[in-house]
Each structure stands twice: as structure tokens, then as C-alpha cells.
Amino acid sequence: MEVPTAVLTIESTEPAKEGPANPTRVSTVPTIVPMESTTEPMEHRTVPTAPTPVSTVPTEQPTPIEYIRSPRAETYLTQDGTREWIPYCVEDKKPREGMVFKTLEKAIEFYKEYAVICGFDVRSATVYKNSKGIIQKYYLCSREGILESEGNYDEKGKRRRKRNSKRVGCKARIIWNLINEDGEYKVTKFFEPHNHCLASPTSMPYLRSSRKMTMVHKNFVNNNTRMNIGPTKSFRLFKENVGSYDNVGATMKDFMKFHRDLKEHIKGDDAKMLIENFIRKRDVFNGFYFDYALDEHDHVSHLFWADATSRKNYSLFGEMISFDCTYDSNTYSMVLAPFTGVDHHKSCITFGVGLLSKEDAQSFEWLFRTFLNAMGNCEPRYLITDQDPAMKVAINEVFVNTRHRLCL
């Protein structure tokens, strides 16, 4: 019986008279080989192969934490029949009873590094103080204790929101005691086993101790906020820059929380920041014009601005303008009032924009006079507005040679 197989054959060629010899070529040729010949010894020859090319393009990916993480955890059964996990860690990163630290902050930082390496989160717990300060400090695994159910309704009869708890009664902890007046602390107790699985290498970047909003993240969110990009889209854009979600170093909730804190921080100074921004623009661009007014509480009540392009467009296409104030801002409910026109391409163009806190005759009169000052006191021939009686009173007071028309 004959079976077709592929036998490795070597074809050697005669060396040329001039120049180096041709290299040995290797080829696989389908050959019909008898079945009996497969049991005969064959001579094996090693053929050198070229090394696999390796890409030399550097890939820059941020590494928020540079610690060596634990590759595994040892598990064993206790006398009670429960399973416990002992994380594997190098000796110089592992706490031991009797270790002395110069300060409590260094001791806590050491235990946090150990938790990051092993794959679990920690939280602060009991602390004992006296006249000397902190004399004893506890740090526990974040899954220590058991959250007791408080019922579906509170004392006022309002339904409670269901919360998922990850606490499973883990006993892993460390205790430091103050040993002298120099502020040194000693590890008096270190319980290492956990009664739950530790984080896998793929889930370690999402631990609370591994996540951190660095200045790179904060500046990225802040810059995107200026371009009206929310935290969710900022998180996805940052993921595209670093390659994957594992390299971000934070979660989407971290981005959302920082965005919330950022808005809360500038809540009382956002109007001041806007005015300062307009002042810088006016110093840089001579054609930029803006004006504002304050109320009795020193809050911005009226605001108008127009750049050089808008003022140039008004000089060319400002015979007819449309004034519409049907839009409100989200936070302060200020009326957005743009002055709009049409150019020679039949496209809508903006001549200026105003913000008003009230829709009364005084506010409209201030806005129309400021608009004329920005446009060199050149009145339009036609002004189209909606049927607002307060707006009609302000138009009659400000515009003399302008015909007022109502939109459909």
C-alpha cells in the first residue's frame, strides 16, 4: 500500500565560479513512499531559519501603578470546611508582625501597595487616640463585615433603594500600635487569609486602589468640557488614545464624578470666568465687542457679544435681521437672544448674541442699544420678531428708522 506524504528533501546546487556559494534551499515535494520504508531510520538535518521579525515601533501606554502584581493565590480548607485564599507576594512587599515604620502614613502606604499587588481593596477602620495622638490604627479588607438589611421602607414609609453589597465577612486586616514618642508604629497583628477570591489580572485595573484620576485625566476632561464634550464621550476618547480600557487607569464613573466636582467648583465663579475670557479676547482681537450689566445682587443679568466676522457681515447683509428669544439656558434659565440674518448664499448668519435674565421692556431696550453700539449705530431697515408686547415697546424706543414686522 502506498500513502502520499510530504518528505523534506534538500536540493544542493553547484557553487558558481565567482562569488560565494548559493545557499541551501529547502522544499517540500509530495512523494509516493512505500509503507515499509517509514520504519527505516532517517537522517535528520537541522536547517537554519531566519529569526522572526519583531516590530520596533514603540507603543506608549500609561502605567498608573508600577508595582508587580500577584500572579496567583494559594487556597486551602480550614478546619471549619471553609476555603481561604492567601495571596502570593514577594517578601519585601509583604507586611510582617513586628515591622516598624517611622510614620503612620508610611505604614498605611505600605499596606496599600501590598493590597494592589495581591488584588484586593482596603479601607480604614477603628482608630484609638489619646493625648499623644493616634495610638492604634486598624486597616481592613474592603469586603470585611456583612451589611445587614434595613428593610424595604425607612421610618417615614419611603421605599429604600436596593444596594448591592460586596461584604462577605473577610477577616484580613492589619493593626499598628504607637511604640515611642518619635511617632514610630509597629505591626502588632497581621491576618493574611481572605475568604473570597482575589482580583484576576484582567480585573485588577478596576480596583479602587488601582484607579486614580491623575492630572492627565483631569486636564483631558477639563479641555473636553470647554468644547461641550461630556464625561462619557471623554472616557471613550481617552480609551482610544491609550489602546484599551485596561490602560485608562480610571473608570467611567471616575470621569463622571470629576466632571460633577468640576462644575460644582466653578458654580459660583462661572460668570466671572466668562467675563475674563471675553476681556482676553477683546485684548487679542480688536474687532471683538462685548458688554454686560449686573443686577442688585452683583449677578450678570445682561450680556451681549459679537466678533469681528459678525460685525463685518452686518455691514454687508444687515438690512434685515431676525430677533428670536425662544431659547433658554439650562442652568440659570437665561434667555438666549441671537440676531440672525441671511447672506448672498441664502445662508443664515449670526450678527450677535445676547443673554437676558428677564424678558421685560428694560432688558430688551438695553440689548437693542448695545447691539446698535456694536454695529456703529447703523439701524437695520427691517426687524422681524415674535408677538411680544415688551419687545414692541423696546423697539419703538430704540429703533427710529426701522420697520418692525412680525414672523408667521
Side-chain angles (χ1 to χ4, degrees):
M1 181 178 179
E2 296 180 351
V3 181
T5 60
V7 179
L8 187 65
T9 61
I10 302 176
E11 300 176 5
S12 60
T13 58
E14 293 289 337
K17 294 182 180 180
E18 295 181 359
N22 295 332
T24 303
R25 294 181 297 175
V26 181
S27 62
T28 55
V29 182
T31 312
I32 305 299
V33 182
M35 181 66 71
E36 296 78 10
S37 63
T38 58
T39 59
E40 297 179 0
M42 300 178 61
E43 181 181 359
H44 299 278
R45 305 180 65 179
T46 303
V47 181
T49 57
T52 305
V54 181
S55 177
T56 59
V57 181
T59 57
E60 298 182 358
Q61 295 181 354
T63 54
I65 298 177
E66 301 178 354
Y67 309 127
I68 302 175
R69 292 183 169 128
S70 173
R72 65 181 185 275
E74 300 178 359
T75 60
Y76 66 94
L77 293 176
T78 62
Q79 296 179 357
D80 300 335
T82 59
R83 178 170 294 184
E84 292 185 344
W85 283 259
I86 297 182
Y88 175 82
C89 182
V90 292
E91 292 297 329
D92 57 345
K93 294 291 184 180
K94 182 177 179 180
R96 299 184 306 275
E97 292 185 3
M99 293 184 66
V100 178
F101 297 90
K102 293 184 179 181
T103 59
L104 182 60
E105 289 75 14
K106 292 184 178 180
I108 295 175
E109 186 66 25
F110 184 84
Y111 189 64
K112 287 182 177 180
E113 293 178 7
Y114 165 76
V116 171
I117 295 172
C118 298
F120 67 94
D121 281 328
V122 296
R123 59 185 174 89
S124 178
T126 309
V127 57
Y128 294 96
K129 298 181 180 180
N130 62 5
S131 58
K132 298 180 181 179
I134 300 176
I135 59 174
Q136 192 177 57
K137 178 64 179 177
Y138 283 66
Y139 247 80
L140 312 175
C141 175
S142 62
R143 306 187 70 175
E144 185 272 342
I146 297 176
L147 185 64
E148 298 181 358
S149 177
E150 299 179 353
N152 296 330
Y153 299 90
D154 57 8
E155 299 176 355
K156 298 181 180 180
K158 187 177 180 180
R159 189 175 183 87
R160 288 193 177 96
R161 185 179 62 180
K162 293 183 179 179
R163 296 183 299 171
N164 296 328
S165 175
K166 296 183 179 180
R167 298 190 180 186
V168 293
C170 182
K171 300 297 183 181
R173 64 186 60 198
I174 189 172
I175 303 175
W176 299 283
N177 280 38
L178 182 65
I179 58 175
N180 53 37
E181 297 180 355
D182 296 335
E184 294 183 347
Y185 287 82
K186 179 181 179 181
V187 179
T188 56
K189 184 176 182 180
F190 172 60
F191 190 76
E192 187 177 8
H194 297 257
N195 66 343
H196 56 87
C197 295
L198 302 178
S200 61
T202 56
S203 59
M204 278 185 178
Y206 302 100
L207 292 176
R208 183 179 299 178
S209 55
S210 300
R211 306 193 320 257
K212 184 179 180 182
M213 289 291 292
T214 61
M215 290 303 300
V216 177
H217 300 104
K218 295 179 180 179
N219 290 333
F220 188 80
V221 175
N222 187 24
N223 294 334
N224 288 344
T225 303
R226 296 179 179 178
M227 297 183 292
N228 201 20
I229 298 178
T232 302
K233 186 173 291 186
S234 299
F235 178 76
R236 295 172 181 171
L237 292 175
F238 197 89
K239 186 268 296 185
E240 295 297 331
N241 293 334
V242 298
S244 66
Y245 291 108
D246 297 341
N247 299 328
V248 174
T251 60
M252 185 180 296
K253 286 188 177 180
D254 296 333
F255 275 63
M256 296 174 67
K257 290 179 180 178
F258 175 75
H259 185 261
R260 176 202 61 192
D261 297 339
L262 180 63
K263 292 193 297 184
E264 186 67 23
H265 177 70
I266 65 176
K267 185 176 181 179
D269 298 330
D270 50 356
K272 181 180 178 181
M273 295 171 59
L274 178 62
I275 299 301
E276 291 177 353
N277 185 24
F278 281 168
I279 293 175
R280 288 193 297 269
K281 281 189 175 182
R282 186 177 59 185
D283 295 338
V284 176
F285 306 103
N286 296 327
F288 184 81
Y289 179 90
F290 87 98
D291 195 4
Y292 66 97
L294 304 178
D295 58 8
E296 62 275 7
H297 303 290
D298 291 336
H299 296 164
V300 176
S301 59
H302 307 143
L303 179 65
F304 173 81
W305 70 94
D307 57 5
T309 303
S310 300
R311 300 171 72 183
K312 181 64 176 179
N313 289 335
Y314 181 79
S315 63
L316 299 175
F317 314 105
E319 294 184 354
M320 185 193 69
I321 63 175
S322 173
F323 181 72
D324 187 10
C325 58
T326 58
Y327 304 99
D328 294 341
S329 61
N330 295 332
T331 305
Y332 300 107
S333 298
M334 296 187 71
V335 181
L336 179 66
F339 294 86
T340 311
V342 179
D343 61 1
H344 57 291
H345 295 292
K346 297 183 179 181
S347 300
C348 293
I349 53 178
T350 302
F351 300 136
V353 181
L355 283 175
L356 301 176
S357 60
K358 297 179 182 180
E359 294 185 79
D360 53 3
Q362 295 179 356
S363 299
F364 287 126
E365 183 177 351
W366 180 92
L367 183 61
F368 292 150
R369 293 189 185 280
T370 306
F371 175 77
L372 290 180
N373 292 333
M375 304 306 170
N377 293 322
C378 181
E379 296 184 8
R381 296 184 61 182
Y382 300 96
L383 178 62
I384 301 176
T385 65
D386 56 3
Q387 299 181 19
D388 191 338
M391 193 181 301
K392 182 178 180 180
V393 173
I395 292 174
N396 294 332
E397 292 291 335
V398 178
F399 298 100
V400 179
N401 301 321
T402 301
R403 287 195 175 187
H404 181 207
R405 293 290 181 264
L406 303 179
C407 63
L408 296 179

